[in-house]
Amino acid sequence: MSTALQTYVSRLGDNALILAQRMIEQVAAYPELEEELANANFALDYLGQARLFYSYAAELEGEGRTEDDFAFLRGEREFQNFLLLEQPVRHFGDAIVKSVLFEQYYLSLLERLSACGEPRVAEIAARAAKEVTYHLRHNGQWLVRLGDGTEESHSRVQDSVNSFWPFTGELFECDDVDRTFVDAHGGPNPASLRDDWTTDIAALLADATLAMPADTWMATGGKAGKHSESFGYLLAEMQYLQRSHPGAAW
């Protein structure tokens, strides 16, 4: 039986896994070799975080499932990742903007989780925060470089900001699972992260000479297992081998 803690932990794993999958799709599409290597390594960092969260979720569930079962043998509605992370990436600017918008939030979340009263979550979060600190610094520098670069790079990355902005509201939604974790383990209420995130993102966008979009309509549903059309294609590609050859091992 799923518990609030198990759901909370598996959600963290879902976010890390889906971001890793979208990032690895961009291998061989980045503008220079150094960035290819950075992207691949960042994707591996997120994959490692997903494995840690899924392994713990499986322990909490106690039904004999493994991290691979969580990644490859669940259906679309069982994933509860943010909609932002599953959005397709059209070009390098998209990849940078999506990463920055999420990582600015994610780093704050991880820092607070590392001080929560749930030991395993705190341990994984502390480790992940070290990785995401570097990711955010690296991607933030690229955001400034692209935004304050040529007329074309500025225009394209501003379009990326505008396109992904409606998916950022979900980052700060608080549901019963979040509230239970807050009450039981002293974790952060997602809504409490919004003000710092807004301030930090505004500063980054200003440095990049980019405009911050107005908060209007925001997409939601990912945390409830309701996904965008592209998510089905993502899962089909990610899960193809395991579903075609159940139990296959290298």
Side-chain angles (χ1 to χ4, degrees), residues 180-227:
T180 298
F181 191 83
V182 170
D183 294 340
H185 306 291
N189 185 317
S192 70
L193 306 177
R194 180 188 288 274
D195 288 346
D196 286 345
W197 179 87
T198 301
T199 298
D200 292 335
I201 288 296
L204 265 174
L205 292 177
D207 286 344
T209 68
L210 296 167
M212 177 181 284
D215 286 338
T216 53
W217 174 85
M218 290 286 175
T220 187
K223 291 173 70 172
K226 301 175 183 178
H227 299 280

Side-chain angles (χ1 to χ4, degrees), residues 7 16 23 25 34 39 42 45 58 60 69 88 100 136 141 147 235:
T7 299
M23 292 177 73
E25 289 173 352
E34 184 176 1
N39 173 63
F42 291 174
D45 285 343
L60 291 167
D69 294 313
V100 168
L136 180 58
Q141 291 171 347
L235 282 192

Side-chain angles (χ1 to χ4, degrees), residues 67-131:
E67 61 194 65
D68 286 346
D69 294 313
F70 276 79
F72 301 125
L73 298 179
R74 288 185 299 155
E76 179 176 330
R77 293 298 297 268
E78 294 176 276
F79 282 83
Q80 297 183 7
N81 56 276
F82 292 128
L83 294 175
L84 171 66
L85 304 179
E86 68 192 50
Q87 299 310 304
V89 169
R90 300 166 297 176
H91 51 71
F92 181 58
D94 272 359
I96 292 299
V97 168
K98 182 200 286 191
S99 293
V100 168
L101 292 176
F102 173 68
E103 287 167 350
Q104 189 68 67
Y105 154 85
Y106 190 38
L107 181 57
S108 294
L109 177 68
L110 291 171
E111 289 173 342
R112 287 163 175 77
L113 286 177
S114 66
C116 78
E118 212 299 320
R120 284 285 291 281
V121 171
E123 178 184 354
I124 298 170
R127 170 178 171 174
K130 296 177 182 178
E131 297 170 342

Side-chain angles (χ1 to χ4, degrees), residues 149-193:
T150 66
E151 182 177 346
E152 181 179 0
S153 72
H154 175 90
S155 174
R156 295 183 73 175
V157 80
Q158 181 67 66
D159 177 66
S160 298
V161 172
N162 296 342
S163 296
F164 288 130
W165 196 260
F167 297 98
T168 59
E170 188 181 30
L171 302 177
F172 309 104
E173 292 179 356
C174 184
D175 63 9
D176 289 342
V177 172
D178 294 309
R179 282 187 283 271
T180 298
F181 191 83
V182 170
D183 294 340
H185 306 291
N189 185 317
S192 70
L193 306 177

